[in-house]
Amino acid sequence: MNIRLVIQQLGLLLLLLCLALLGVTAWGAIEHFTSQPAAGTSIEREWVGLVAEWVTVGVGLALGGSMWWFARPRDRRPAVLGRREALLLVALGWLLGAAVAGLPYFLWAHLERTAGPNHPFRSFMSCYFEAMSGLTTTGATVLSDIRAVPFGLLLWRATTHWLGGLGIVVLFVAVLPSLGVGGKKLYQIEAPGPAAQGVRPRIRETARVLWLIYLGLTAAQIVLLYLAGMNLGDAVCHTFATLATGGFSTRDASIGYYNSPLINWIIIAFMLLAGANFGLYYQLLRRRFRAVWTDPELRLYLAIVFVGCLIVCGALVEERLVSTTGDDVEPSIAAAIRHGVFQVVSIQTTTGFCTADFDLWGLAPRMTLLFLMFVGASAGSTGGGIKIIRVLIAFKVIVAEVERVFRPNVVRTVKVGRQPVDPELRLGTMVYVLALLLVFAVGTVALMLIEADKGIDVVTALSASAATLNNIGPGLNLVGAMRNYGWFSEPSLAVMSLLMVLGRLELYAVIVMFVPRFWKSE
Amino acid sequence: MNIRLVIQQLGLLLLLLCLALLGVTAWGAIEHFTSQPAAGTSIEREWVGLVAEWVTVGVGLALGGSMWWFARPRDRRPAVLGRREALLLVALGWLLGAAVAGLPYFLWAHLERTAGPNHPFRSFMSCYFEAMSGLTTTGATVLSDIRAVPFGLLLWRATTHWLGGLGIVVLFVAVLPSLGVGGKKLYQIEAPGPAAQGVRPRIRETARVLWLIYLGLTAAQIVLLYLAGMNLGDAVCHTFATLATGGFSTRDASIGYYNSPLINWIIIAFMLLAGANFGLYYQLLRRRFRAVWTDPELRLYLAIVFVGCLIVCGALVEERLVSTTGDDVEPSIAAAIRHGVFQVVSIQTTTGFCTADFDLWGLAPRMTLLFLMFVGASAGSTGGGIKIIRVLIAFKVIVAEVERVFRPNVVRTVKVGRQPVDPELRLGTMVYVLALLLVFAVGTVALMLIEADKGIDVVTALSASAATLNNIGPGLNLVGAMRNYGWFSEPSLAVMSLLMVLGRLELYAVIVMFVPRFWKSE
C-alpha cells in the first residue's frame, strides 16, 4: 500500500477543511464587529469563539501542510491511487477531519470563562462526537444550552453538516487536481447507495455538477427562509442542516422555536428534496422528466413518506401535542398534519429536526418513526439509513426466494424498474442489510454495557444506536426530541462516533481497516 | 393443486396423533388405578384428565377417519405429492395437529370442578398455545400451577415435545406406506437446517434410522434419570422434553426442583446431544469417527457453548444465585459452574429448562443468553434458532463480501469444511437470516401493540418474540425463568403460536400460504 500518497492527500484534505473554517470565521468577525449581542450571548463570547477557530486554522494548516510536504512523492512518476489507498484515505479523512473540526469547540470551552468546568465541550471526546455528528450529518448534539455558544461556532457546526452532506472527499475530488481513476474510487466509496453511478462520464464533472445543484438548492432555501421571517444567520444554519439532512439547529427547541407553519412547510419541502437522489435533479435540468417520474426509488420513497404520514397524522389527530418549546399546541387537524408530516419527513430523510416532542406520542407513531429510521433516504442523497433502493431490492429478493420454495425450477430475475438486479448486487444488498443490523445490535449492547451503572433503559440504547448509525440524531426516551447526548460517558460517545462514521461511509470503508489482510501487500 | 390428496394425508396424520394420545392414556389409566395421589393432585383429577383424553381420541379418530375416507382418490392412479402439496400438508399438519393436541387440556379444564373459571386452560387459545408450544418443542407454558394438572395430561404435554422433536411428519414418513418422492419433499420441509440431506439414500430409511437413534437416546436418558433418583413418570417426561429440546417440566420450578448436581449434569449432557446433528450419530454407528470429529458445524457448536459458558460462569462466580425454587444457592464455584453451564446449554440448544432465575443476573450474562437464543442448535437436530451452520455460512459470506471491497477482482469460494457453498445457498442463507429477523421484529411490535394497555416493557416483548420464534421457551422479565405466558391476551397467544410454527418449520412452509401465487395452478 502506498501510505505516502494517502498521507499526502490527507494533508490536502485537512488544508481544504481549514480553508472552509477560515471562510466561516469571516462572517463571525463581521458579526463580532457589527451586531448587537443576541439574547443570552455576548460580543466578548463571540470574540473567544473566533480565536478558537483561528487557532484551529493555524494548527490544521501546519499539520495538513507538513503532511502534504513530507509525504510528497520522491520520484516524478504519477502516483496511482489504488482501491485500498482510496478506502484508507476516505476512512482516515473522516476520522481525522472530525478531530480537526471538533478542535474549535474544545478550545472555546477552555478559553471562555463563562463556559464553566461542567460544559460538555470541556471534554475533547464530546467535541469529537459533536464534530463527527456534524460531518456525518447525524445532528446528535451534546449541548443542552445551544444559545450560550457563540454564533461563529454554531455557523461552523452547521457548515460541517453542509460539507459532510455531499461528502468532504467528493468536494475534494471536485475542486482539487484530478487523481485520475482514483477520483472515481473515492466517489464510489463515499457516495451513499449500492451502485454509485456518476451522472457524467468523468467523475470530476459528476462531483462538480452535484455540488452546483447543492449550491443552487442552498441559495434557494436561504432566500425562502429569510423571506419567511428567519434572521439571516439562522436561515443559513438551518439551510445547511436541512440540505445535508443533518439536523443541528441554532435553537434549543430546534425548529419548534419558530412557531410558523410557513417555515415548517419550507423545511419539510427541502428535507424531502435532500432525501431524494441528487442525480434526478441533473436529469430534471436535462429535461428528462420521464426518467425522473418512472424512477422506482423515487416512487417508493414518496410512497413510504405518504404512508408514514397517514399513520402518524391519523394517530395524532386525537392526541395531545406538545411543541419542543414545552408548550401545548392548540389542537387542530392542521396542527396534527403539520407536526406529523414534519416529524415523519425529518426522521425518514434522517435529518432529525423536531417541532414536537414525539416521545409523548402513542406506541404506533413511535414505532413507525423507529421503522423509518432504518429505511432512511434514497441512494445518492445526503441522507442515511439502509436507503430506499436497498429496501426495495431486499424485499424483492425475499419474495423471489419464497417463490423458489414452491417453484424451485423457475428461473427468476429480480428487477428494479426495468433493470435486472445482478446476483452479485442481490447478495451484496442482503449482506449489507444484515451487517448493518449486526452493527446496530452490537452498538446497542455496547451502550448498555458501558452505561450499565447509569441504568440506561433498552429503548434509549436501541434508539441511540439506531439514531447514530443511521445518521438521524434524536432517538427516544433519554435521547428523545427534548434531550441530548451530553450525559453519555466518553466511551459511549466514542462508540457512537464510530457508529456515525460507519453509517455515513456505509460500513465497509471503516470495517476493512480491522481486517488484517487489508494491510498485507498483494 | 391436489387438495384431496392433502386432506386425505392430513386425515392419516390425525389418526396417527390420536393413536399416540391413546398410548399415553394407557399409562394415565395405570397411574389412576395404582398410584397414591401425589402432593397437590388427586386420583379423581387423574380420572377427569383421562376422560378428556379419550374424548379427544374419539373426536380425532372421527375427524381424521372421515377426512381420510371422503378424500380418498377417485381413480386408481397413484397420487403424486407435488412440492406445493407437500408444503401445504406440513403447514396444515402442524396447525391442525396443535388444535387436536390442545383439546384434552381444554376439555379437562371444563370437566374439572377444581380448575376454576380463571384457569388458563378454560380458554381454547391458551390450550392451542400450550399444544403448539409442545409440538414445536418451544416449552413456553401458560400454566402457573403445574402440579394441579393430572399426570396423564403432563405426560401428553411431554409427548407432544417428543413427537414434535424429530417432526410429526417425519414420523409419518417413517411408519406409513411410502409416498414415493413425496416423502423426501416432506422430510426436507420439516427437517431443520438449510440443506437437509438424508443419511440413507431412501428417505423412509433415513426417517427410520433417525427415529431409532432418537428412541435409543430416549431409553438411555430415562434409565439414567431414574437411577439418579427421579421417579419414573418425571424421568420419562423430562427425557421427552430434553431430547426434543422442548423444556416443559412437570414441576413449577423446572429442573431447579431437583437440587441434584447429578441430575443437572445428566440433563446438560443430553441437551448437548439433542442439539447436535442427528446424522452424526448415524456416522458414529457406522464408525466414521473422522467425519464426525472434523464436522465444522459440530466444532463451532461446541466452541460457542464453551465460550458462552466461560462468559456466563465467569460473571456468576461473584454473583448471588437464586434457584428457580426461590431459595438462595450456597455460593461456590461448583454451583456457579453448574448453574451457568446449565442455563447456557439450555438456551443455546433452545430447550428452555431452568435451574436458576437468570433474570436476576447481570447484563453481560443476560445479553449472552439473548444472543445464544438466535444462534440456536445445529441443523438436523431437534433444536430451533437460526442454526449453527447458517451462522457459519452467513459469517463467511460477510467476510468474503468485506474482502471484495478492497480486492474486487479476486474470485472467492466460500467453504464450510471442505465443501464449497454454492451461490444459491449463500443468498438463501442471508435471505433466511434477514427474514427471521424481520419476523422477529414484526412479532415484537405486534406484541407491544396488542398488550399496549398492559404497559408491556420492551425487554419482555423482545424476548417473548425471540423465545417463541426460536422455540426456546422462557425469555426475560415478564416471561422470565420464574414466569409464564398465562397473562397474555388471546390475540398475543395467537401471534406467538404463529411465531412458534414459523420458527419450527423455518418460515417458508407457513409464509407461502400467504402468497397468492402459491394457490394458482401452474
Side-chain angles (χ1 to χ4, degrees):
Chain A
M1 182 152 9
N2 191 343
I3 296 280
R4 287 180 75 89
L5 180 61
V6 173
I7 293 176
Q8 194 213 7
Q9 299 293 325
L10 213 50
L12 275 179
L13 194 65
L14 284 189
L15 293 180
L16 198 70
L17 201 63
C18 288
L19 286 182
L21 178 54
L22 197 62
V24 166
T25 62
W27 192 353
I30 296 170
E31 197 83 359
H32 169 57
F33 290 113
T34 61
S35 306
Q36 295 300 313
T41 179
S42 69
I43 285 297
E44 192 199 342
R45 201 171 287 175
E46 197 64 52
W47 179 248
V48 177
L50 279 178
V51 171
E53 289 179 337
W54 284 329
V55 173
T56 304
V57 170
V59 171
L61 289 180
L63 182 66
S66 50
M67 281 166 78
W68 179 71
W69 176 254
F70 288 110
R72 72 190 182 283
R74 284 192 212 129
D75 43 22
R76 292 274 173 85
R77 273 180 300 159
V80 177
L81 191 75
R83 194 153 180 92
R84 293 189 301 160
E85 284 83 4
L87 281 162
L88 193 62
L89 175 55
V90 171
L92 291 182
W94 284 77
L95 291 171
L96 193 61
V100 172
L103 194 55
Y105 309 141
F106 183 73
L107 293 174
W108 170 77
H110 283 82
L111 293 172
E112 173 62 54
R113 275 172 298 107
T114 58
N118 292 323
H119 195 280
F121 282 167
R122 299 283 284 199
S123 135
F124 186 72
M125 194 61 237
S126 295
C127 298
Y128 187 81
F129 175 91
E130 192 84 3
M132 188 59 98
S133 171
L135 286 172
T136 57
T137 74
T138 304
T141 183
V142 297
L143 292 174
S144 53
D145 182 8
I146 294 174
R147 297 304 289 173
V149 176
F151 175 75
L153 285 182
L154 292 183
L155 183 63
W156 172 240
R157 197 162 153 266
T159 308
T160 55
H161 270 341
W162 193 74
L163 292 173
L166 267 195
I168 45 178
V169 180
V170 170
L171 175 64
F172 177 74
V173 173
V175 300
L176 285 185
S178 171
L179 282 159
V181 198
K184 183 156 190 188
K185 286 176 193 136
L186 290 172
Y187 172 74
Q188 284 174 334
I189 293 163
E190 201 180 56
Q197 289 159 328
V199 292
R200 300 277 300 159
R202 293 190 51 203
I203 208 67
R204 270 190 80 188
E205 284 178 64
T206 297
R208 281 188 186 165
V209 166
L210 291 180
W211 272 94
L212 281 177
I213 292 170
Y214 196 46
L215 278 169
L217 287 173
T218 304
Q221 196 189 347
I222 291 173
V223 170
L224 285 175
L225 285 181
Y226 186 73
L227 293 179
M230 265 195 194
N231 70 50
L232 188 60
D234 278 7
V236 169
C237 288
H238 285 114
T239 294
F240 283 2
T242 309
L243 285 174
T245 68
F248 278 154
S249 174
T250 55
R251 303 287 170 173
D252 290 319
S254 189
I255 304 298
Y257 173 84
Y258 302 96
N259 193 12
S260 148
L262 181 59
I263 287 181
N264 287 9
W265 285 110
I266 291 173
I267 290 181
I268 289 171
F270 278 89
M271 288 195 292
L272 274 175
L273 287 172
N277 190 334
F278 274 49
L280 295 177
Y281 304 136
Y282 182 68
Q283 304 280 13
L284 277 186
L285 289 177
R286 300 193 59 189
R287 302 180 165 272
R288 291 201 195 130
F289 300 115
R290 202 185 142 72
V292 174
W293 175 240
T294 56
D295 184 71
E297 186 176 24
L298 181 68
R299 289 181 167 198
L300 185 58
Y301 169 52
L302 296 177
I304 292 176
V305 168
F306 183 73
V307 172
C309 288
L310 274 190
I311 297 174
V312 171
C313 295
L316 287 188
V317 169
E318 293 286 298
E319 215 152 345
R320 182 173 154 240
L321 262 175
V322 178
S323 159
T324 45
T325 54
D327 305 320
D328 268 40
V329 175
E330 189 88 27
S332 73
I333 290 183
I337 291 177
R338 175 160 56 93
H339 288 288
V341 171
F342 191 98
Q343 255 60 234
V344 166
V345 171
S346 171
I347 294 291
Q348 155 91 68
T349 59
T350 75
T351 307
F353 278 143
C354 305
T355 63
D357 184 1
F358 48 76
D359 248 324
L360 303 175
W361 295 0
L363 197 61
R366 271 186 298 146
M367 289 287 155
T368 308
L369 291 181
L370 197 63
F371 170 76
L372 293 179
M373 280 191 182
F374 282 92
V375 173
S378 312
S381 74
T382 62
I386 290 174
K387 309 279 174 328
I388 309 269
I389 188 82
R390 285 212 188 85
V391 172
L392 184 61
I393 294 175
F395 176 75
K396 292 203 170 187
V397 170
I398 290 179
V399 168
E401 198 69 10
V402 167
E403 279 194 30
R404 207 166 62 84
V405 170
F406 60 90
R407 289 211 181 112
N409 302 321
V410 179
V411 176
R412 235 164 256 97
T413 52
V414 174
K415 283 187 185 175
V416 169
R418 285 179 188 176
Q419 289 265 309
V421 181
D422 68 67
E424 215 162 67
L425 183 55
R426 267 183 260 173
L427 184 63
T429 303
M430 302 312 281
V431 168
Y432 180 80
V433 175
L434 198 59
L436 192 95
L437 292 178
L438 274 181
V439 170
F440 160 65
V442 170
T444 305
V445 172
L447 291 180
M448 290 192 74
L449 289 177
I450 296 170
E451 304 293 339
D453 52 338
K454 286 187 191 155
I456 182 183
D457 65 301
V458 185
V459 175
T460 300
L462 282 171
S463 65
S465 178
T468 49
L469 179 63
N470 294 317
N471 300 139
I472 290 151
L476 298 170
N477 278 13
L478 298 180
V479 292
M482 311 285 279
R483 307 297 192 100
N484 61 69
Y485 287 73
W487 58 273
F488 276 105
S489 64
E490 295 201 343
S492 293
L493 292 175
V495 166
M496 287 187 287
S497 300
L498 191 63
L499 288 177
M500 290 190 281
V501 71
L502 276 164
R504 177 60 183 80
L505 298 181
E506 307 208 312
L507 305 181
Y508 297 128
V510 181
I511 289 179
V512 289
M513 294 203 299
F514 297 99
V515 178
R517 220 178 289 178
F518 176 72
W519 300 99
K520 281 186 201 146
S521 55
E522 281 179 70
Chain B
M1 184 152 9
N2 190 343
I3 295 280
R4 287 181 74 91
L5 179 62
V6 173
I7 293 176
Q8 193 213 9
Q9 300 291 325
L10 213 51
L12 275 178
L13 195 67
L14 284 190
L15 292 180
L16 198 71
L17 200 64
C18 289
L19 286 182
L21 178 53
L22 196 62
V24 165
T25 61
W27 191 353
I30 295 172
E31 197 84 357
H32 170 56
F33 289 114
T34 62
S35 306
Q36 296 298 314
T41 180
S42 69
I43 286 296
E44 194 200 340
R45 200 169 288 174
E46 196 64 50
W47 178 247
V48 176
L50 278 179
V51 170
E53 290 180 336
W54 284 330
V55 173
T56 304
V57 169
V59 171
L61 289 181
L63 182 65
S66 50
M67 282 167 80
W68 179 71
W69 176 254
F70 288 110
R72 70 189 185 283
R74 284 193 212 129
D75 43 22
R76 292 272 172 87
R77 274 181 300 159
V80 179
L81 191 74
R83 195 155 177 92
R84 294 189 299 159
E85 284 83 5
L87 282 162
L88 194 61
L89 175 54
V90 171
L92 291 182
W94 284 78
L95 291 172
L96 193 60
V100 172
L103 194 55
Y105 310 142
F106 183 73
L107 293 175
W108 170 78
H110 283 81
L111 293 173
E112 174 62 55
R113 274 173 297 107
T114 59
N118 292 322
H119 196 280
F121 282 167
R122 300 281 285 200
S123 134
F124 187 72
M125 195 59 237
S126 295
C127 299
Y128 188 82
F129 176 90
E130 191 85 4
M132 188 59 100
S133 170
L135 285 172
T136 58
T137 74
T138 305
T141 184
V142 295
L143 292 174
S144 53
D145 183 7
I146 294 174
R147 297 304 288 172
V149 175
F151 174 76
L153 284 182
L154 293 183
L155 183 63
W156 171 239
R157 198 162 153 266
T159 306
T160 55
H161 270 343
W162 193 73
L163 291 174
L166 268 196
I168 45 177
V169 179
V170 170
L171 174 64
F172 176 72
V173 172
V175 300
L176 286 184
S178 170
L179 282 160
V181 197
K184 184 156 188 186
K185 286 177 193 136
L186 290 172
Y187 172 74
Q188 285 173 335
I189 292 163
E190 201 179 54
Q197 289 157 329
V199 292
R200 300 278 298 160
R202 294 189 50 202
I203 209 67
R204 272 190 79 190
E205 284 177 64
T206 297
R208 282 190 185 164
V209 166
L210 291 179
W211 272 93
L212 281 176
I213 292 170
Y214 196 45
L215 277 169
L217 287 172
T218 304
Q221 196 189 346
I222 291 174
V223 170
L224 285 174
L225 284 181
Y226 186 73
L227 292 179
M230 265 195 195
N231 72 50
L232 189 59
D234 278 9
V236 169
C237 288
H238 285 113
T239 296
F240 282 2
T242 308
L243 286 175
T245 69
F248 278 154
S249 174
T250 55
R251 305 285 171 174
D252 291 319
S254 188
I255 304 297
Y257 173 84
Y258 302 96
N259 193 12
S260 148
L262 182 59
I263 287 180
N264 286 10
W265 286 109
I266 291 173
I267 289 180
I268 289 171
F270 278 89
M271 287 194 292
L272 273 175
L273 287 172
N277 190 335
F278 275 49
L280 294 177
Y281 303 136
Y282 181 70
Q283 305 279 13
L284 277 187
L285 289 177
R286 299 194 60 187
R287 301 180 165 273
R288 291 200 195 129
F289 301 115
R290 203 186 142 70
V292 175
W293 176 239
T294 56
D295 184 70
E297 186 175 24
L298 181 68
R299 288 181 167 198
L300 184 59
Y301 169 52
L302 296 177
I304 292 176
V305 168
F306 183 73
V307 172
C309 288
L310 275 189
I311 296 173
V312 171
C313 295
L316 286 188
V317 168
E318 293 286 299
E319 215 152 342
R320 181 172 156 242
L321 261 176
V322 177
S323 160
T324 44
T325 55
D327 305 320
D328 268 42
V329 175
E330 189 88 28
S332 74
I333 290 181
I337 291 177
R338 175 159 57 93
H339 287 289
V341 171
F342 191 97
Q343 254 62 232
V344 166
V345 171
S346 171
I347 293 291
Q348 155 91 69
T349 59
T350 74
T351 307
F353 278 144
C354 305
T355 64
D357 184 2
F358 49 76
D359 249 324
L360 303 174
W361 297 359
L363 198 61
R366 270 184 299 147
M367 288 288 154
T368 309
L369 291 182
L370 198 63
F371 170 75
L372 293 179
M373 280 190 183
F374 282 94
V375 172
S378 312
S381 74
T382 62
I386 290 173
K387 309 280 173 327
I388 309 269
I389 188 81
R390 285 213 188 85
V391 172
L392 184 62
I393 293 174
F395 177 75
K396 293 203 168 185
V397 170
I398 290 178
V399 169
E401 198 69 8
V402 168
E403 279 194 33
R404 206 166 64 83
V405 171
F406 59 90
R407 289 213 181 109
N409 302 322
V410 179
V411 177
R412 238 164 253 96
T413 52
V414 174
K415 282 187 186 177
V416 169
R418 286 180 186 174
Q419 289 265 312
V421 181
D422 67 68
E424 214 162 69
L425 183 55
R426 267 183 258 173
L427 183 63
T429 303
M430 303 311 282
V431 168
Y432 181 80
V433 175
L434 198 60
L436 193 94
L437 292 178
L438 274 182
V439 170
F440 160 66
V442 170
T444 305
V445 172
L447 291 180
M448 290 192 74
L449 289 177
I450 295 171
E451 304 293 338
D453 52 338
K454 287 189 190 154
I456 182 181
D457 65 301
V458 185
V459 175
T460 299
L462 282 171
S463 64
S465 179
T468 48
L469 178 61
N470 295 317
N471 300 139
I472 289 151
L476 298 169
N477 279 14
L478 297 181
V479 293
M482 312 286 280
R483 307 297 191 101
N484 61 69
Y485 287 73
W487 57 273
F488 275 106
S489 63
E490 296 201 342
S492 293
L493 292 174
V495 166
M496 289 188 286
S497 300
L498 191 63
L499 288 176
M500 291 191 280
V501 71
L502 276 164
R504 176 60 183 82
L505 297 181
E506 306 206 314
L507 306 182
Y508 296 128
V510 181
I511 289 179
V512 289
M513 294 203 298
F514 297 100
V515 179
R517 219 178 290 178
F518 176 72
W519 299 99
K520 281 186 200 146
S521 54
E522 279 177 72

